[in-house]
Amino acid sequence: MPRHISELSGELLFLMSKAPGGSTPAARERLRREIMHVDGVSYEEAGVKIVQMAQYGKADTMLLKTPYYVGMATARIAGIVSIPLVFSLTLASKFNEHNVMAEPPEEGMTDTMLEVGMWTWGWMEPPLGTISFFLLCMQFATEQRLNLGLKPFTERLKSRKADQLVKAYPQYDRYIVRDYAKAICFDESDADGLENEPLWLKNSRAALPHPPEAKQSQ
């Protein structure tokens, strides 16, 4: 029974790297074997080369992640804030005073959270309903893009990263390099050293020459 990724066959590694979602360990191992074959180096030396390749364009990684961080933060904040805006009398009253200016509820009509929600729903329903419908339409549009075979935004970013790495290291098989580049597009861990490697390899980042920098778009 294989106990390490290095013990798997090339056919199995190929299937793992091509499976939906891919497999970073499989893509890394395929690239390592390609480097060993082309450069005639040892397993450990190929690992050093992988770290160098993973460092290529690392400065762009955070920029690529920015839209996802912004979207994640916006969704969390909006979701959390929407609850007290609907069910908290204190916050809803302040919001109404400065933004809505609707008639305040009659005395005794906001004794419970549900009664507060009945009052606030008059102005909260339009934005919440519109946002929900907008997201539903965007999801439907995305599904149609996939049906037409068009790449979504994330896949386009991965392809861009893959094209850059292939151009920087043309001596290796382009499809193997592309699979690896897509697998690590948003993952910087390989650039800091590989897991399950000798200690000197984990610390190899400092000893490596600077990788070629990605050309900035004009």
Side-chain angles (χ1 to χ4, degrees), residues 107-143:
E107 186 176 354
M109 297 298 293
T110 55
D111 294 337
T112 66
M113 291 178 58
L114 294 180
E115 288 180 331
V116 174
M118 292 176 61
W119 171 55
T120 59
W121 197 244
W123 71 74
M124 289 299 293
E125 183 178 15
L128 292 180
T130 301
I131 292 173
S132 299
F133 181 71
F134 172 79
L135 293 177
L136 181 63
C137 290
M138 293 299 100
Q139 183 178 4
F140 178 78
T142 300
E143 290 295 329

Side-chain angles (χ1 to χ4, degrees), residues 69 94 133 175-176 204 206:
Y69 283 125
K94 290 290 185 181
F133 181 71
Y175 299 105
I176 294 178
S204 60

Side-chain angles (χ1 to χ4, degrees), residues 10 28 35 49 86 115 126 146 162 201-202:
R28 183 193 303 122
I35 294 172
K49 188 69 173 183
V86 174
E115 288 180 331
L146 295 177
L201 185 55
K202 289 185 178 181

Side-chain angles (χ1 to χ4, degrees), residues 91-106:
L91 185 58
S93 297
K94 290 290 185 181
F95 185 82
N96 176 56
E97 179 182 349
H98 293 90
N99 298 281
V100 184
M101 292 173 285
E103 288 292 331
E106 298 179 3

